[in-house]
Amino acid sequence: MKKTFLILLTIIGILSHAQNKKTKDTTRTELDNIFVTANRTKTLRQETPVAISKITSKTIEETKAVSLFEIANKTPGVLMVNLGNEQHMMAIRQPITTNAYYLYLEDGLPIRPLGIFNHNALLEINQFNLQTIEVVKGPTSSLYGPEAVGGTINLISQKPSYYPEFKFGIQADQWGYKRIQAAGGATIGKVGFHVSGISSVQENSWMAHSDYNKDNLNIRVDYAINDNTRLISNTMIGKYFSDMSGSVNESDFYNRSYKSTSDFTYRKSEALRSRLTLEHDWNASAHSYLTVYHRDNKLGQNPSYGIRWSQTNNPTTATGEINSNNFKSYGAVGQHTQKFDFWNTTMVSGASFDFSPVTYWSYLIKLSATLNPGEAGKQTVNKYEIVSEHPELKIANYNADIYNTAVFKQISFSPVSKVTFTFGGRYDNMKLNYDNILDHSTGKKTYDKFTFKAGVNYNPFKEAGFYGNYSQGFSPPNITTIFRARPGTGGTTGKPAEFYYNLEPATFENFEIGGWVAVYKNKLNFDYAAYYMEGKNELLNIKLEDNTTDYRSAGETSHKGIEFGLNYTPNRQWHIRLGGTVAEHRYIDFKVSDVTTDAIQNLSGYEMPSAPRWSGNSELSYYPNWLPNFRASVECQYVSSFFQNQINTISYEGYTVFNGRVGYKYKNVEFYGNLMNFTDKLYAYNASRGNASSAQSSYYAAAPRTFLIGLQYNLCLKK
């Protein structure tokens, strides 16, 4: 099957080569696209042996997204799952998960330090400050280090404009969402600057207890010391507060009763990120930079996912938690890129150091539960209320200093025409000095790993290219997981708290082939990737009956699939984009029980939950000649059915949703409207269920039909 597929693509490439010889064409091909993320330096796609996609500034500008998932999901192989109010989970070569298998970068620098992963990190991003987004699928640990396993998303910020420019916009929908945004910049002599800010508010939405507000400010200043040397500073300040409505039960979901079981849960964040970069071009073939940076992040929660309720013990009571996770980072990364004429060789070398002290605490709150009518064992909760808070009953309480050190090197060369080889390696060392207050222990832990990748590109024609690679991934357990008391210990249980000190780092091996084809004078572009990735000691969880989570370093898992994207532009008026992935994620060996009487003790061969076999996003765009500056598009998001639980007995049907967007520019003013879910389909972004027979399904409900309207003013003062 794979061999036939590759032969077919080669034939298409040969035909396209013949087609373009007959009709001379100066249009750039897909292979001419330049990326910076895959090799940490500007590289042509034809020299990049990975699956990489770029979301252009045009796509970002036309999407007018409320939340980043609306943009990210346009990338084949990416399913960013909306949890409301810009909260999210991700699925790139993994099931839908909150695990630390994704690396989020802002202009090439990780948003968070290793060991303090947060699946909601992208809610801190200012959407109005984005220039482009690059997405690398598959492990890139050999360049970027741990957590770069399923995918790496690099959000590339706006740069100072040469001419003075200013943008201001407002947008709102019928559900109480409003946002104002402004940006401007200019270059005056040797100094360029760009400032961008947004302020978002959500009140009285379709979902109960789902208000939020967010304020972000980004400032960039570039100083050209001379023609070869530049000093660049970036500062981001952000504040976020959101009610956490959480998931809804099955009955409320299908009755469209979007009520929250709690009116006290919340998530709040304060973030500061600043960096200073010195760049120097030694000559046309040598470039170096040194970046020093600082992070200051405070995250507090009374999380809806922390509510633990048992139908069997005392169903009218429950517990929750309040927690706080605060860290600061001080770090530096340096890199040198050297090009040689011999075999057209490029070498990238670098090192990084990060020191991040962190404090975390979580304490118990007692809740009362008002039940919905129903049979015993099948009842659900109508509402939780706080009975009492207990700061003295800690679920977790620790201080830690994290030291992350790394060195990396990558070399690419072309010994023969049309063939490029790439080899890279990185050594990461994470040292953790901790003080676990709950068990009065202090100690040290070290996680280190050398990761490697090897790839080859073959470009037989200008219109076609192929690649293959082998890459390794690595991810230590998140320290929040390590120092959290195991279910059934600590708190009010009367048992001493037990912790996850023995969790092992997860390691991955990825094998991949892929390529690109451009035909019909580059009007039709097609790219694809087929991969097989195997994980060992992957951090997985078991959802227990009372909604607590027990963590395991699993034996083995497998992840395999095919990603594909097609862009067709028959003329200037029409553009068609098709993209998607077919994937399968399974347990190879995952022991979930040591009790001989349990029906299922090992999930070997079972599919992983929240792992749709098919997902994709496609779009038809229209730019009429008869009405210049007008645009209209229809988008389809598809997610197939998937299992809700680990034992594969309950599945969710998936969904197909349609969105529409229109916009019109008149001089300096743009009017636009987005119609999201225009068929008003009832669907959930995710659905989950425990393995117990008495477990109930919970649904993260998606919004009903939503009308968003906006106005934006754009001014550029060209001389």
Side-chain angles (χ1 to χ4, degrees), residues 160 162 186-193 220-233 277-281:
Y162 183 76
T187 298
I188 304 171
K190 292 187 174 184
V191 178
F193 68 91
R220 171 170 171 158
V221 180
D222 293 13
Y223 175 57
I225 298 173
N226 54 48
D227 291 343
N228 297 320
T229 309
R230 297 161 298 279
L231 194 62
I232 303 168
S233 72
T277 300
L278 178 65
E279 296 183 344
H280 181 69
D281 301 322

Side-chain angles (χ1 to χ4, degrees), residues 566-602:
L566 181 147
N567 284 273
Y568 180 47
T569 308
N571 53 53
R572 293 184 178 181
Q573 295 190 96
W574 295 96
H575 178 76
I576 300 171
R577 176 181 56 78
L578 301 174
T581 182
V582 53
E584 182 181 282
H585 307 280
R586 287 189 180 274
Y587 301 112
I588 297 176
D589 181 20
F590 180 25
K591 190 174 184 180
V592 294
S593 175
D594 298 314
V595 181
T596 56
T597 56
D598 285 351
I600 296 179
Q601 298 175 3
N602 197 308

Side-chain angles (χ1 to χ4, degrees), residues 671-686:
F671 308 90
Y672 61 89
N674 294 352
L675 179 55
M676 310 302 290
N677 186 14
F678 61 67
T679 63
D680 200 26
K681 182 179 180 62
L682 172 67
Y683 72 104
Y685 289 114
N686 194 20

Side-chain angles (χ1 to χ4, degrees), residues 271-399:
L272 167 67
R273 292 191 294 274
S274 60
R275 58 189 288 179
L276 184 65
T277 300
L278 178 65
E279 296 183 344
H280 181 69
D281 301 322
W282 302 98
N283 52 53
S285 301
H287 171 77
S288 300
Y289 74 78
L290 175 66
T291 297
V292 293
Y293 61 86
H294 172 60
R295 308 184 190 99
D296 189 347
N297 193 288
K298 300 178 179 66
L299 179 65
Q301 299 182 109
N302 185 332
S304 57
Y305 65 78
I307 295 176
R308 294 166 286 277
W309 171 71
S310 174
Q311 296 177 330
T312 56
N313 294 331
N314 187 349
T316 61
T317 65
T319 60
E321 66 176 274
I322 294 175
N323 63 50
S324 178
N325 189 1
N326 306 321
F327 70 87
K328 294 184 179 181
S329 297
Y330 309 89
V333 56
Q335 178 177 307
H336 178 72
T337 302
Q338 183 72 51
K339 296 184 178 181
F340 303 93
D341 292 334
F342 179 72
W343 284 358
N344 192 26
T345 300
T346 299
M347 188 172 354
V348 177
S349 307
S352 65
F353 174 77
D354 183 289
F355 168 58
S356 296
V358 57
T359 62
Y360 181 95
W361 52 258
S362 174
Y363 66 78
L364 193 75
I365 59 175
K366 293 184 177 181
L367 310 174
S368 64
T370 303
L371 305 182
N372 291 310
E375 301 178 36
K378 295 184 178 180
Q379 291 177 304
T380 57
V381 175
N382 179 270
K383 189 175 182 61
Y384 294 106
E385 293 181 298
I386 295 179
V387 175
S388 57
E389 296 187 15
H390 295 274
E392 76 281 4
L393 298 176
K394 292 289 194 300
I395 299 170
N397 191 12
Y398 64 85
N399 303 311

Side-chain angles (χ1 to χ4, degrees), residues 30 73 87 105 206 250 252 293 313 376 481 507 570 636 681:
E30 282 292 295
N73 284 345
Q87 301 164 107
L105 306 173
W206 57 274
E250 191 167 40
D252 287 342
Y293 61 86
N313 294 331
T481 303
T507 59
C636 175
K681 182 179 180 62

Side-chain angles (χ1 to χ4, degrees), residues 157-160 192-195 218-222 232-234:
S157 303
Q158 295 275 358
K159 297 176 176 61
F193 68 91
H194 186 270
V195 181
N218 290 74
I219 303 171
R220 171 170 171 158
V221 180
D222 293 13
I232 303 168
S233 72
N234 280 282

